[in-house]
Amino acid sequence: MEGEYVLVVGSSALEMSGRAIEAPQLGARQQGHIHVSAGGVARNIAENLARLDIDTVLLSAVADDELSDYLVSHSQLAGVDCSHVLRVTGERVATSLLLYHAAESVTHLDDLAIMAALDSDYLLEHDWLFKDASLVVIDATLSEDALDTLFELAQRYKTPVCADPTAPRLARRLRKYIANLFLIVPNASETAALCSLDEPATERESAIGTAQMLVSMGSNIAVVTLGAQGLAYADSNGGGYIRAIKTEIVDTSGAGDAFSGAVIFGILNGVPTDEAMRLGAAAASLTLQSEYAVLQSLTPDRLYDELGI
């Protein structure tokens, strides 16, 4: 694909993970392990791409405080161009709070109010960035007005768009844009909102069928991630399924974003769809072994080593 960089648009957040030593009890003060890292779906994908040697520009919104300084500086050190990230005075930085027991997520809370600042005016001020991008990658934290503007800009400059639905409650925002997407990567829970299904696609065959449905609705490539069960995917050549790589799970946060980043890395390097999916599975496996939302030692060589290539 032609273009100078990948343009990533969406959330940057401080991610706090708490792991209870014993089963969580309502109202009880318990011992555990708490870890803080740079997060946000869009920002995570941008960092994964940058660590895989893809030139990446991030459009996002952060507050005007030290926590936001950390988010931006961490992303810049990884290689992400953050020179256009919006600073919002008087607003709090976006934050995600995850509570785990063992390897299972018990609670996941998001405070993404600051994302309202990433509006149509902001995108129009940066329309020139769409012109020279090889791909635009978005999460679904953008408002409906901002999404309308983004897809208008992408269409104007004929720039393909990849989307992460982010959460079931946000996924429905992407319904009307499926025909305008090059790639969409929902998890099983998000498929119901995207495809108006009575039940999420949680099994191999239903997930393959849902991925094919998304392609029939206009997306060039569709993936349905199934966590420990693997993933289903489809494109114009049909559908397929890949088992998850067995690995020790330290933290599930960021694994899906690593998958998306590595798949996009593969696409940009011209690999076949099935190989891009395997790269994504390898990146997710590596990230599951880390406390960080993005594996700090991620490189193309590390990714291919995980696949045994």
Side-chain angles (χ1 to χ4, degrees), residues 84 87 115 152 165 232 308:
H84 307 288
R87 292 280 192 157
M115 286 304 299
E152 287 173 6

Side-chain angles (χ1 to χ4, degrees), residues 46-237:
E47 183 179 343
N48 277 286
L49 287 168
R51 292 189 181 279
L52 291 171
D53 297 332
I54 301 296
D55 290 336
T56 307
V57 177
L58 177 65
L59 295 183
S60 190
V62 297
D64 189 14
D65 57 20
E66 292 183 359
L67 293 175
S68 297
D69 292 342
Y70 163 70
L71 280 177
V72 172
S73 62
H74 178 91
S75 305
Q76 289 174 324
L77 287 171
V80 180
D81 181 346
C82 296
S83 58
H84 307 288
V85 170
L86 179 65
R87 292 280 192 157
V88 186
T89 302
E91 186 57 89
R92 60 188 178 275
V93 65
T95 306
S96 290
L97 174 62
L98 295 92
L99 178 61
Y100 291 94
H101 175 57
E104 297 297 322
S105 176
V106 178
T107 302
H108 189 168
L109 301 176
D110 288 326
D111 181 354
L112 300 173
I114 197 171
M115 286 304 299
L118 208 66
D119 57 15
S120 294
D121 290 341
Y122 171 78
L123 294 176
L124 289 170
E125 288 172 7
H126 297 84
D127 68 333
W128 53 277
L129 287 171
F130 289 77
K131 181 179 180 181
D132 295 324
S134 55
L135 281 174
V136 175
V137 183
I138 65 171
D139 66 25
T141 61
L142 299 170
S143 69
E144 293 184 11
D145 285 345
L147 285 169
D148 282 340
T149 299
L150 184 143
F151 278 96
E152 287 173 6
L153 292 172
Q155 186 174 22
R156 178 187 304 172
Y157 296 115
K158 296 179 172 59
T159 309
V161 180
C162 306
D164 187 311
T166 311
R169 71 182 188 281
L170 300 176
R172 60 179 56 90
R173 295 180 183 179
L174 297 176
R175 278 181 186 168
K176 66 178 181 178
Y177 306 110
I178 292 173
N180 304 106
L181 290 174
F182 180 79
L183 168 71
I184 187 166
V185 189
N187 62 28
S189 298
E190 292 155 359
T191 58
L194 279 170
C195 301
S196 301
L197 302 176
D198 293 332
E199 297 290 338
T202 58
E203 304 296 334
R204 173 175 175 164
E205 293 305 320
S206 64
I208 293 173
T210 302
Q212 292 173 324
M213 181 188 302
L214 287 164
V215 170
S216 71
M217 294 165 69
S219 180
N220 291 59
I221 304 172
V223 185
V224 178
T225 59
L226 301 171
Q229 295 182 62
L231 64 102
Y233 66 93
D235 61 12
S236 60
N237 295 316

Side-chain angles (χ1 to χ4, degrees), residues 256-276:
D257 308 329
F259 174 85
S260 296
V263 168
I264 293 166
F265 164 79
I267 289 170
L268 290 170
N269 282 280
V271 306
T273 300
D274 59 347
E275 184 177 342

